[in-house]
């Protein structure tokens, strides 16, 4: 078909959070998506392409929102896009399992003269629970087309796509919907639009929405004449509604009246055309919820699940990781056997394969980690985890929904920082941004896997869990200290919808794993490759390095004699000593030794110190740098670190520092962009380094003291954790004492700050 005959149109997906909107987007487009930002704002937009017959549909997945009244930058995008979207096609995704609440947004769209195409999603769950709907009657009463869909399986998507391709816009031509705005409201909004020379018929959806909002929101006009006109219009509207409904309504009651009126229209519609099943969960799900969200059992179960995730990441991942290591070792051996010795061979073997290959061997561990996370997310458990963590979030001055971007941080801190847009309070957004880089992202996983696996063997998962626990204590302390020193207003209630438990689909799990591995491999082939080449250059130049003795002549002398196992061992040892001494004289060693005094108190060698620098570009580069720098000791990085003198304690401290020191440059860039503050970004940079240094130094000194007194390493770890916890509690109590807090012992006292009496300074 000639491409000139293909018609292109835009489709805008609008719907509530957790309505299956993104799943439907994936089902429509097959995840053929591209990511960018909406014009003028730093809010991500996702576009996908559908080609059907003579049409090309560009699908825009708008941020999820419960209504058109924006509370966050993402939700504001939905309102700002309405004018453009109304001239194209709007696909309103409705979770029919929560029919009444989801239709609130649909009602708002119809009130503004928009006739969306409705996807009644999660239709299988709805019918399985005994629900049914007369689609013809629904269409006749609302004036809009509705299609039952099951986004997870793609059922109903084909007919929906064909319908989308056959319509040009979604503007209502005949106001026949039972969900339309009552005439007295339209008349009042028309009068408000008339103050600026506009009319209801001519106005676009956004202007209509603003006119309705002026009828119910606090008046912010600076013009006294306009304020008086608005007051008169409001009072006359209240009088008109009172006459129509028989209520005694005042102008200040209009907001509640409009919301009530909308739900009445929705209830009448549902009563006419649908039977909605009870919203109670099946007995087995209620019983499971009573256990998983239990006040006392919930958190231990969550901890056990995370422990299982870490255990399998090591135990199962060990085998494919070994296969990949053997593959890269064989490749290096083959290249060394078939290429002449020189810089090119050294670049390929010691730079590219040792650097990039040293990172790629961790792909199986990444797959296992995110396989479990995908199962937990798709099954509905993560919402329960967010509910459990609400109390912890509140204890550090954060809204419960801050847990959502934080759990995203396990994958990558960049999208996690961007996800803080769901938090409407600016202080809480900034605090969440500050804490997210302390969440261990997948990029740090290679450091933990190689060092835990090398130095802690069968107890690797326990020590990895210990690292995460220390990290969590630091995160809590930083959050509480910040929220106590810089007080903010009270948190709004955390409203979280508990989705039903569902069996994860193979396609959704596969797509998540594919996306994570693709991102990991892409970084290995770009930024990590570039960093490995630079590290290699600094590690092989200058070429002429003064040596303590003539290694070459000794090696030649040994080779001229009889070849025995003893002489072969001597030759290998001389070669190793020569390589180590040469590395000590290269540019990389000079850089490392120059900055080593700063990190020496933590027990790091210059090699570990240097590896932290490229870690600023990408945390995976820490391992690739170590692989290059330790190559003279042994081809196996773990064995090489042991040979060089690293022990269990220094390995633990290095991992701890790596978890908490400054985030990668991409994360830092997003923090700067999302916060809009250079000062905040620089402050965060200093805070991360200071905390990582202080905690690592403290752990090193306490552990050294304990081990020197004959304590075992595990006993020492337990004592360190207890001391850290006790220290956190003392400092927290001190901060509360100097900043003031609400008394727990005098809750009924009239002098309590709860009652806004400033005579009470608070108590402990």
């Amino acid at each position: 078909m000639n491409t000139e005959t293909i018609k292109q149109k835009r489709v805008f997906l609008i719907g509530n959070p957790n309505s299956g909107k993104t799943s439907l987007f994936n089902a429509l487009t097959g995840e053929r998506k591209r990511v960018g930002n909406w014009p003028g704002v730093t809010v991500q937009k996702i576009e996908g392409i559908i080609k059907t017959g003579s049409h090309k549909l560009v699908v825009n997945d708008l941020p999820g929102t419960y209504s058109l009244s924006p509370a966050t930058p993402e939700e504001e995008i939905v309102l700002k896009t309405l004018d453009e979207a109304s001239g194209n096609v709007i696909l309103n995704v409705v979770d029919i399992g929560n029919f009444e609440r989801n239709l609130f947004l649909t009602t708002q769209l119809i009130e503004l003269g928009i006739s969306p195409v409705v996807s009644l999603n999660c239709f299988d769950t709805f019918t399985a629970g005994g629900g049914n709907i007369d689609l013809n009657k629904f269409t006749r009463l609302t004036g809009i087309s509705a299609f039952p869909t099951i986004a997870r399986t793609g059922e109903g998507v084909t007919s929906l796509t064909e319908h989308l391709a056959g319509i040009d816009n979604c503007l209502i031509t005949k106001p026949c919907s039972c969900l339309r705005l009552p005439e007295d409201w339209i008349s009042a909004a028309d009068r408000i639009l008339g103050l600026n020379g506009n009319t209801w018929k001519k106005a676009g959806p956004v202007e209509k929405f603003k006119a309705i909002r002026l009828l119910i929101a606090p008046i912010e006009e600076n013009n006294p004449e306009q304020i008086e006109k608005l007051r008169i219009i409001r009072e006359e509207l209240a009088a008109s509604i009172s006459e129509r409904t028989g209520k005694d309504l005042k102008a200040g009651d209009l907001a509640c009246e409009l919301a009530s009126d909308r739900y009445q229209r929705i209830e009448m519609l549902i009563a006419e055309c649908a039977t909605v099943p009870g919203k109670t969960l099946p007995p087995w799900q209620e019983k499971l919820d009573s256990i998983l969200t239990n006040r006392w059992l919930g958190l231990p179960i969550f901890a056990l699940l995370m422990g299982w995730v870490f255990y399998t990441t090591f135990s199962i991942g060990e085998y494919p990781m070994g296969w990949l290591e053997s593959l890269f070792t064989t490749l290096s051996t083959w290249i060394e056997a078939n290429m002449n010795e020189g810089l090119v061979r050294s670049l390929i073997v010691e730079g590219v394969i040792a650097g990039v290959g040293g990172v790629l061997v961790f792909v199986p561990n990444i797959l296992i980690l995110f396989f479990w996370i995908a199962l937990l997310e798709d099954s509905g458990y993560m919402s329960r985890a967010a509910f459990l963590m609400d109390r912890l979030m509140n204890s550090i001055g954060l809204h419960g929904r801050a847990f959502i971007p934080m759990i995203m941080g396990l994958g990558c801190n960049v999208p996690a920082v961007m996800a803080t847009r769901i938090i409407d309070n600016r202080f809480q957004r900034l605090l969440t941004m500050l804490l997210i880089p302390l969440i261990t992202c997948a990029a740090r996983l290679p450091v933990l896997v190689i060092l835990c696996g090398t130095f802690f063997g069968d107890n690797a998962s326990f020590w990895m869990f210990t690292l995460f626990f220390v990290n969590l204590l630091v995160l809590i302390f930083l959050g509480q200290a910040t929220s106590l020193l810089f007080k903010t207003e009270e948190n709004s209630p955390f409203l979280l919808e508990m989705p039903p438990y569902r069996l994860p689909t193979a396609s959704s799990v596969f797509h998540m794993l594919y996306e994570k591995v693709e991102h990991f491999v892409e970084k290995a082939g770009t930024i990590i490759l570039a960093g490995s080449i630079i590290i290699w250059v600094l590690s092989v130049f200058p070429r002429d390095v003064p040596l303590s003795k003539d290694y070459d002549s000794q090696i030649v002398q040994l080779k001229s004699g009889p070849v025995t196992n003893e002489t072969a061992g001597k030759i290998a040892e001389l070669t190793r000593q020569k390589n180590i001494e040469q590395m000590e004289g290269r540019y990389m060693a000079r850089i490392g030794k120059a900055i080593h005094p700063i990190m020496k108190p933590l027990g790091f060698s210059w090699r570990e110190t240097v590896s932290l620098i490229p870690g600023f570009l990408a945390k995976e580069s820490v391992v690739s740098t170590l692989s290059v720098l330790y190559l003279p000791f042994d081809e196996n990085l773990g064995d090489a670190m042991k040979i060089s003198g690293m022990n269990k304690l220094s390995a633990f401290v290095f991992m701890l520092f790596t978890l908490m020191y400054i985030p990668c440059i991409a994360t830092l860039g997003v923090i700067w962009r999302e916060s809009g503050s250079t000062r905040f970004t620089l402050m965060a940079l200093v805070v991360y380094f200071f905390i990582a240094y202080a905690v690592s130094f403290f752990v090193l000194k306490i552990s050294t003291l304990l081990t020197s007194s004959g304590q075992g390493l595990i006993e020492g770890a337990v004592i360190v954790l207890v001391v850290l916890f006790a220290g956190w509690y003392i400092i927290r109590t001190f901060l509360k004492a100097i900043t003031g807090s609400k008394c727990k012992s005098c809750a009924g006292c009239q002098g309590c700050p709860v009652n806004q009496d400033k005579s009470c300074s608070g108590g402990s």
Side-chain angles (χ1 to χ4, degrees), residues 626-680:
L626 290 173
S627 298
V628 174
L629 297 180
Y630 274 104
L631 193 61
F633 288 92
D634 196 279
E635 290 184 357
N636 182 282
L637 177 57
D639 294 340
M641 297 179 92
K642 281 185 174 181
I643 293 170
S644 68
M646 181 177 279
N647 56 32
K648 291 183 176 181
L649 179 57
S650 57
F652 184 84
V653 173
F654 181 70
M655 287 188 286
L656 193 61
F657 187 86
T658 305
L659 287 182
M660 291 183 289
Y661 90 114
I662 57 177
C664 67
I665 192 170
T667 301
L668 207 63
V670 171
I671 290 175
W672 174 76
R673 190 179 68 184
E674 293 292 316
S675 66
S677 171
T678 302
R679 185 171 62 177
F680 173 80

Side-chain angles (χ1 to χ4, degrees), residues 494-511:
F494 179 35
L495 302 177
L496 176 68
E497 178 187 341
M498 291 292 184
Y501 291 100
R502 293 190 178 98
L503 189 66
T505 61
S507 61
S508 63
V509 173
F510 171 78
H511 284 304

Side-chain angles (χ1 to χ4, degrees), residues 10-49:
R10 302 181 75 83
V11 178
F12 294 82
L13 264 66
I14 293 178
N16 286 196
N18 297 318
S19 62
K21 183 170 57 65
T22 301
S23 296
L24 185 61
F25 171 86
N26 293 336
L28 286 167
T29 63
E31 283 205 338
R32 294 186 295 271
K33 63 185 179 183
R34 62 175 181 268
V35 179
N37 284 337
W38 293 98
V41 289
T42 57
V43 175
Q44 192 179 76
K45 70 172 179 179
I46 299 177
E47 289 185 352
I49 306 295

Side-chain angles (χ1 to χ4, degrees), residues 105 290 308 313 354 375 430 456 464 534 596 635 637:
L105 179 59
S290 68
W308 171 256
T313 298
L375 290 185
L430 292 176
F456 300 103
M464 190 171 179
I534 292 173
H596 183 230
E635 290 184 357
L637 177 57

Side-chain angles (χ1 to χ4, degrees), residues 479-628:
Q480 288 193 336
T482 306
S483 61
L484 285 170
L485 291 174
F486 306 97
K487 290 186 177 180
T488 183
E489 59 195 64
E490 290 294 319
N491 291 339
S492 56
F494 179 35
L495 302 177
L496 176 68
E497 178 187 341
M498 291 292 184
Y501 291 100
R502 293 190 178 98
L503 189 66
T505 61
S507 61
S508 63
V509 173
F510 171 78
H511 284 304
M512 180 178 185
L513 296 181
Y514 178 81
E515 180 183 343
K516 298 301 180 184
V517 172
E518 181 187 36
H519 177 66
F520 190 78
V521 173
E522 180 187 0
K523 287 176 74 175
T526 53
I527 186 69
I528 295 173
L529 174 60
S532 297
I533 291 173
I534 292 173
I535 296 297
W536 173 82
V537 170
L538 294 174
S539 302
V540 298
F541 290 99
R543 299 299 292 165
D544 295 325
V545 175
L547 301 176
S548 60
K549 54 186 175 182
D550 191 352
Y551 289 100
D552 290 335
S553 62
Q554 292 185 29
I555 292 172
V556 170
Q557 185 178 356
L558 287 170
K559 286 182 177 180
S560 63
V563 179
T564 63
N565 290 335
E566 184 181 354
T567 56
K570 290 181 179 180
I571 291 172
E573 179 61 24
L574 286 171
T575 303
R576 189 178 70 84
Q577 290 178 6
K578 174 189 174 184
N579 291 337
I580 293 172
E581 201 168 321
Q582 284 181 328
M583 180 67 78
E584 295 280 348
R586 300 277 160 77
Y587 291 129
M588 183 56 71
R590 296 177 189 178
I591 294 171
K593 291 173 181 178
I595 60 177
H596 183 230
I598 300 173
M599 309 304 295
K600 188 176 181 180
L602 301 183
F604 298 169
S605 72
W606 67 264
R607 291 176 176 82
E608 287 86 69
T609 302
V610 167
S611 70
L612 296 170
I613 299 173
F616 179 55
L617 298 176
K619 287 294 181 283
E620 298 95 334
S621 297
V622 173
V623 171
S624 62
T625 303
L626 290 173
S627 298
V628 174

Side-chain angles (χ1 to χ4, degrees), residues 85 92 177 184 249 286 383 513 568 659 746:
N92 179 205
S177 176
D184 41 15
L249 200 66
E286 288 186 341
S383 295
L513 296 181
L659 287 182
C746 56

Side-chain angles (χ1 to χ4, degrees), residues 75-289:
E75 292 177 356
E76 194 172 355
I77 287 298
V78 178
L79 179 62
K80 289 181 177 180
T81 311
L82 275 187
D83 283 341
E84 178 189 357
S86 62
N88 291 277
V89 181
I90 291 180
L91 176 57
N92 179 205
V93 184
V94 170
D95 176 6
I96 196 170
N98 295 284
F99 209 13
E100 183 178 329
R101 194 201 65 218
N102 277 242
L103 282 178
F104 188 87
L105 179 59
T106 310
T107 301
Q108 286 186 302
L109 294 173
I110 291 174
E111 288 176 351
L112 301 180
I114 295 172
S115 178
V117 177
V118 170
S119 161
L120 300 175
N121 200 29
C122 305
F123 204 75
D124 54 340
T125 306
F126 175 72
T127 54
N132 66 74
I133 182 171
D134 187 334
L135 292 174
N136 293 328
K137 199 170 187 179
F138 179 85
T139 299
R140 187 171 71 253
L141 291 172
T142 60
I144 57 180
S145 301
F147 294 83
T149 58
I150 307 172
R152 292 186 305 115
T153 61
E155 190 172 333
V157 170
T158 302
S159 56
L160 175 61
T161 303
E162 291 173 354
H163 181 79
L164 293 173
I167 56 178
D168 295 323
N169 64 66
C170 57
L171 293 172
I172 294 176
T173 54
K174 296 180 180 180
C176 60
S177 176
C178 67
L179 297 178
R180 69 184 183 277
L181 197 64
E183 288 299 326
D184 41 15
W185 283 91
I186 294 176
S187 176
D190 186 61
R191 291 174 63 188
I192 286 182
L193 288 167
L195 297 177
N196 296 316
N198 205 344
T199 65
W200 182 263
K201 288 185 178 180
K202 294 180 181 178
V206 175
E207 290 176 316
K208 289 179 179 178
F209 177 83
K210 290 178 179 177
I212 295 173
R213 189 160 58 182
L214 281 174
L215 291 171
I216 61 176
I219 299 174
E220 298 178 356
E221 285 283 344
N222 295 321
N223 188 334
E225 184 179 344
Q226 290 284 82
I227 292 175
E228 180 62 21
K229 289 179 180 178
L230 285 173
R231 186 185 63 79
I232 293 171
I233 293 172
R234 285 180 165 190
E235 289 179 352
E236 291 179 354
L237 173 60
S240 174
I241 296 174
S242 296
E243 184 179 347
R244 171 168 58 87
T245 61
K247 299 177 181 178
D248 183 17
L249 200 66
K250 305 296 183 185
D253 302 326
L254 288 173
C256 291
E257 172 59 25
L258 181 57
S260 176
D261 184 72
R262 283 169 175 161
Y263 278 115
Q264 286 178 15
R265 284 177 265 152
I266 292 169
E267 288 170 2
M268 290 174 61
L269 169 65
I270 294 175
E272 284 288 327
C273 66
T275 300
V276 178
K279 294 186 178 180
T280 56
L281 291 171
W284 70 270
Q285 293 199 18
E286 288 186 341
K287 188 171 291 186
L288 190 58
D289 264 350

